[in-house]
Amino acid sequence: MEQELYYDTVIAGCGVGGLFTALHLPSTQKVLMICKEDVESCNSMLAQGGICVLLNEQDYNDYFEDTMRAGHYENRRESVDIMLRSSRSVIDQLIACGVDFARNSDGSLAYTREGAHSRPRICFHEDTTGQEITTKLRQAVEKLPNVELMEYTTMTDILAENGVCTGMVAKAQNGDTLRIHAHDTVMATGGIGGRYEHSTNFRCLTGDALDVAQKHGVELEHLDLFLHLL
Ligand SMILES: Cc1cc2nc3c(=O)[nH]c(=O)nc-3n(C[C@H](O)[C@H](O)[C@H](O)COP(=O)(O)OP(=O)(O)OC[C@H]3O[C@@H](n4cnc5c(N)ncnc54)[C@H](O)[C@@H]3O)c2cc1C
């Protein structure tokens, strides 16, 4: 059966990307979130180490360089700047959502050092930081009366009229085809690890948004790891 649904915003993906987006939309909007399997099957639940934050202004240049080096200098510099500059505010928002980051004995945030970072600047919650953040964000989203969440609902395409995206098409758990009309369409479908034979990622994460975008001629970049799988 085919169903026509109407929302202001539809979001594919219930990891931290989708959840954080939903939390930032005006409460006047009618929002639908969908995810491919159950809400916990997302890489956000698996992240262990933590989340980095700009320590202070003096840390900016080192943090910028660490990030660029880790990205083999292919990172978009403006995006790195936005990430660094907004990192403290993101941490503050997560704390406001109830995320319990590790603290020093004086109550200040404790930082650890990870990966490419030249100094400790990672906020963490034991070794289950992703689970802590995702669970608290989800609990915050579940309190929003304007947001609905459908599990086991897979985006298969977008709706498009005259070159403008007007929503998405999804397959519901009961096999129904949902034509979800929306003013804004967000694809927060995570990575492509599920396409690899060996991966630490959930198998259901197969870069579906990239396929849909490619089909509609949306310009994509940095597909090195994706293209050789096609
Ligand atoms: C083992 C592991 C450890 C990690 N450790 C860290 C760390 O310490 N620090 C760090 O910063 N990052 C870490 N990461 C990376 C981090 O987890 C991810 O970058 C981040 O969680 C991605 O969030 P996301 O919301 O984009 O995607 P995800 O959390 O993966 O969510 C994707 C969502 O999209 C949905 N979806 C996919 N396809 C469709 C479709 N067709 N239709 C509908 N819904 C769809 C899925 O169901 C899911 O809800 C780690 C990753 C892994 C796997």
Side-chain angles (χ1 to χ4, degrees):
M1 224 173 80
E2 201 165 274
Q3 294 185 42
E4 306 284 337
L5 304 176
Y6 295 86
Y7 289 86
D8 294 307
T9 300
V10 58
I11 302 171
C14 299
V16 288
L19 293 169
F20 212 57
T21 303
L23 285 169
H24 284 82
L25 291 171
S27 58
T28 48
Q29 286 211 2
K30 196 177 162 208
V31 179
L32 175 66
M33 299 188 72
I34 64 171
C35 56
K36 220 168 167 179
E37 295 189 348
D38 66 295
V39 77
E40 302 212 328
S41 298
C42 61
N43 281 354
S44 298
M45 289 294 280
L46 301 177
Q48 295 176 301
I51 174 168
C52 40
V53 64
L54 182 66
L55 298 172
N56 47 45
E57 264 318 300
Q58 294 71 45
D59 185 36
Y60 183 89
N61 288 343
D62 290 345
Y63 186 3
F64 194 93
E65 173 58 20
D66 289 350
T67 308
M68 293 302 292
R69 194 174 56 246
H72 297 272
Y73 299 94
E74 290 188 31
N75 327 29
R76 199 184 274 188
R77 297 178 73 87
E78 313 88 90
S79 304
V80 173
D81 177 65
I82 291 170
M83 183 186 81
L84 268 58
R85 294 265 174 229
S86 56
S87 60
R88 180 62 61 180
S89 141
V90 169
I91 294 296
D92 290 344
Q93 290 175 59
L94 293 176
I95 292 170
C97 282
V99 174
D100 175 28
F101 288 116
R103 302 263 174 186
N104 298 310
S105 53
D106 64 0
S108 59
L109 285 169
Y111 302 114
T112 187
R113 187 175 159 191
E114 283 238 321
H117 292 277
S118 55
R119 65 171 63 101
R121 55 168 85 89
I122 315 287
C123 297
F124 63 100
H125 174 95
E126 299 167 3
D127 67 345
T128 54
T129 310
Q131 184 183 332
E132 169 69 9
I133 294 175
T134 314
T135 305
K136 295 287 167 59
L137 290 180
R138 195 172 64 242
Q139 287 167 354
V141 166
E142 280 166 0
K143 287 186 194 141
L144 299 177
N146 60 314
V147 180
E148 261 175 74
L149 201 154
M150 283 184 200
E151 296 182 305
Y152 297 98
T153 303
T154 302
M155 171 190 69
T156 54
D157 202 353
I158 51 172
L159 296 169
E161 280 169 33
N162 303 321
V164 175
C165 175
T166 57
M168 67 176 67
V169 183
K171 183 68 84 183
Q173 191 172 13
N174 65 1
D176 280 3
T177 297
L178 310 179
R179 290 170 51 82
I180 308 163
H181 303 268
H183 185 267
D184 294 302
T185 300
V186 179
M187 296 190 196
T189 57
I192 60 171
R195 291 207 187 198
Y196 285 82
E197 189 183 350
H198 302 289
S199 169
T200 57
N201 297 194
F202 276 100
R203 290 246 65 88
C204 66
L205 302 175
T206 46
D208 300 355
L210 297 176
D211 289 322
V212 169
Q214 261 191 342
K215 176 178 163 189
H216 289 270
V218 176
E219 196 179 330
L220 300 169
E221 63 180 2
H222 295 314
L223 295 182
D224 328 29
L225 297 171
F226 178 68
L227 288 175
H228 79 271
L229 293 167
L230 296 175

XYZ file of all heavy atoms in Angstrom, residues 12-18 34-37 41-44 46-50 114 153-155 188-190 200-201 204-205 208, ligand 1:
259
model
N 16.050 11.475 7.888
C 16.432 10.050 7.827
C 17.678 9.904 8.678
O 18.713 10.522 8.394
C 16.705 9.628 6.388
N 17.586 9.094 9.735
C 18.740 8.864 10.601
C 18.478 9.334 12.022
O 18.069 10.476 12.241
N 18.696 8.428 12.961
C 18.451 8.732 14.384
C 19.719 8.583 15.211
O 19.670 8.266 16.404
C 17.347 7.829 14.936
S 15.787 8.063 14.082
N 20.878 8.772 14.575
C 22.131 8.864 15.328
C 22.263 10.291 15.855
O 21.307 11.081 15.811
N 23.447 10.629 16.339
C 23.617 11.966 16.905
C 23.323 13.068 15.875
O 22.796 14.126 16.240
C 25.025 12.184 17.516
C 25.190 11.406 18.805
C 26.126 11.858 16.531
N 23.640 12.805 14.606
C 23.389 13.814 13.566
C 21.904 14.154 13.471
O 21.503 15.319 13.532
N 21.077 13.125 13.326
C 19.635 13.330 13.206
C 19.027 13.882 14.482
O 18.204 14.809 14.446
N 13.076 9.005 10.854
C 12.984 7.578 10.552
C 14.375 6.946 10.696
O 15.391 7.629 10.578
C 12.431 7.301 9.120
C 13.377 7.852 8.039
C 11.043 7.881 8.954
C 12.988 7.423 6.619
N 14.393 5.653 10.997
C 15.674 4.940 10.985
C 15.456 3.522 10.469
O 14.350 2.981 10.524
C 16.359 4.948 12.341
S 15.396 4.290 13.680
N 16.556 2.969 9.974
C 16.482 1.746 9.180
C 16.129 0.518 10.028
O 15.376 -0.338 9.599
C 17.852 1.524 8.535
C 17.796 1.035 7.116
C 19.186 1.131 6.507
C 19.249 0.363 5.211
N 20.582 0.455 4.601
N 16.706 0.453 11.220
C 16.407 -0.679 12.103
C 15.859 -0.105 13.405
O 15.089 0.842 13.354
C 17.661 -1.538 12.293
C 18.073 -2.190 10.968
C 19.168 -3.218 11.114
O 19.807 -3.310 12.173
O 19.397 -3.942 10.124
N 20.480 0.989 16.759
C 21.425 0.463 15.769
C 22.002 1.595 14.925
O 21.620 1.801 13.769
C 20.738 -0.576 14.874
O 20.309 -1.658 15.647
N 22.907 2.331 15.538
C 23.579 3.412 14.817
C 25.002 3.508 15.373
O 25.253 3.162 16.533
C 22.839 4.728 14.996
S 22.711 5.286 16.690
N 25.915 3.986 14.559
C 27.311 4.068 15.000
C 27.489 4.992 16.191
O 28.436 4.839 16.965
C 28.199 4.538 13.838
C 28.508 3.400 12.879
O 28.159 2.256 13.148
N 29.145 3.722 11.767
N 26.575 5.948 16.315
C 26.687 6.871 17.449
C 26.700 6.114 18.772
O 27.358 6.533 19.731
C 25.527 7.869 17.429
O 25.574 8.637 16.259
N 28.116 3.376 19.296
C 29.360 2.604 19.424
C 30.568 3.462 19.784
O 31.584 2.932 20.235
C 29.667 1.876 18.106
C 28.611 0.896 17.597
C 29.054 0.323 16.251
C 28.380 -0.214 18.603
N 30.466 4.762 19.534
C 31.638 5.624 19.755
C 32.102 5.489 21.198
O 31.308 5.579 22.119
C 31.280 7.071 19.426
N 33.403 5.275 21.354
C 33.902 4.976 22.687
C 34.687 6.130 23.275
O 34.423 6.607 24.365
C 34.812 3.743 22.623
C 34.074 2.490 22.232
C 35.042 1.327 22.084
O 35.966 1.381 21.279
N 34.826 0.295 22.854
N 35.704 6.551 22.508
C 36.737 7.438 23.051
C 36.216 8.740 23.589
O 36.475 9.105 24.740
N 35.482 9.496 22.795
C 35.001 10.775 23.277
C 34.867 11.811 22.184
O 34.906 11.488 21.002
N 43.562 11.487 22.606
C 43.223 10.391 21.705
C 43.799 10.643 20.337
O 44.088 11.789 19.976
C 41.703 10.353 21.516
C 40.966 9.760 22.671
C 40.144 8.588 22.230
O 39.566 8.669 21.145
O 40.119 7.574 22.943
N 12.145 1.840 9.228
C 11.582 2.575 8.087
C 12.750 3.110 7.269
O 13.555 3.900 7.774
C 10.688 3.729 8.606
O 9.678 3.173 9.443
C 10.055 4.489 7.471
N 12.861 2.639 6.035
C 14.068 2.897 5.237
C 13.811 3.881 4.109
O 12.947 3.642 3.255
C 14.571 1.565 4.628
O 14.831 0.667 5.699
C 15.828 1.759 3.808
N 14.555 4.974 4.105
C 14.496 5.902 2.970
C 15.019 5.188 1.725
O 16.114 4.609 1.751
C 15.370 7.130 3.247
C 15.524 8.040 2.036
S 16.764 9.315 2.264
C 18.273 8.362 2.268
N 20.669 12.160 7.431
C 21.709 11.977 8.455
C 21.900 10.476 8.623
O 21.760 9.932 9.711
C 21.273 12.636 9.758
N 22.214 9.833 7.483
C 22.193 8.365 7.452
C 23.546 7.730 7.762
O 23.725 6.528 7.572
C 21.684 7.855 6.084
O 22.514 8.389 5.065
C 20.249 8.279 5.841
N 24.486 8.535 8.251
C 25.751 7.973 8.725
C 26.664 7.515 7.605
O 26.567 7.999 6.469
N 33.681 -2.302 11.863
C 33.178 -2.203 13.241
C 31.795 -1.552 13.257
O 31.203 -1.398 14.305
C 34.112 -1.319 14.088
O 34.217 -0.037 13.465
C 35.481 -1.943 14.247
N 31.321 -1.149 12.082
C 30.050 -0.407 12.007
C 28.846 -1.338 11.946
O 28.985 -2.520 11.637
C 30.021 0.449 10.733
C 31.090 1.527 10.695
O 31.011 2.423 9.882
N 32.097 1.444 11.547
N 23.737 -2.222 8.804
C 22.660 -1.522 8.080
C 23.100 -0.142 7.567
O 22.361 0.498 6.824
C 21.421 -1.380 8.967
S 21.673 -0.317 10.397
N 24.310 0.285 7.919
C 24.746 1.623 7.503
C 25.524 1.511 6.198
O 26.710 1.187 6.184
C 25.595 2.260 8.606
C 24.853 2.366 9.944
C 25.751 2.871 11.040
C 23.611 3.231 9.806
N 23.261 4.995 2.148
C 22.081 5.109 1.272
C 21.872 6.536 0.754
O 21.433 6.725 -0.386
C 20.814 4.656 2.008
C 20.902 3.208 2.470
O 21.898 2.539 2.131
O 19.974 2.749 3.165
C 33.424 1.485 16.897
C 33.330 2.968 16.658
C 33.932 3.867 17.547
C 33.874 5.234 17.333
N 34.461 6.086 18.234
C 34.333 7.438 18.071
C 34.869 8.359 19.038
O 35.434 7.980 20.044
N 34.689 9.686 18.814
C 34.043 10.169 17.710
O 33.911 11.390 17.562
N 33.537 9.314 16.776
C 33.670 7.979 16.939
N 33.137 7.125 15.999
C 32.449 7.718 14.853
C 31.065 8.193 15.257
O 30.404 7.183 15.963
C 30.254 8.551 13.996
O 30.979 9.455 13.209
C 28.934 9.211 14.372
O 28.275 8.493 15.391
C 28.048 9.291 13.146
O 26.790 9.793 13.561
P 25.633 9.882 12.494
O 24.432 10.443 13.196
O 26.133 10.590 11.290
O 25.379 8.368 12.023
P 24.914 7.089 12.828
O 24.991 7.275 14.289
O 25.576 5.915 12.235
O 23.356 7.032 12.460
C 22.926 6.718 11.168
C 21.419 6.615 11.198
O 20.932 6.589 9.862
C 19.939 5.605 9.742
N 19.849 5.202 8.341
C 20.823 4.730 7.525
N 20.331 4.499 6.284
C 19.017 4.836 6.348
C 17.953 4.804 5.403
N 18.151 4.400 4.127
N 16.725 5.194 5.806
C 16.489 5.595 7.102
N 17.464 5.671 8.014
C 18.708 5.287 7.641
C 20.376 4.499 10.674
O 19.310 3.639 10.973
C 20.877 5.336 11.872
O 19.766 5.692 12.686
C 33.183 5.741 16.201
C 32.557 4.848 15.316
C 32.617 3.481 15.544
C 31.910 2.560 14.589
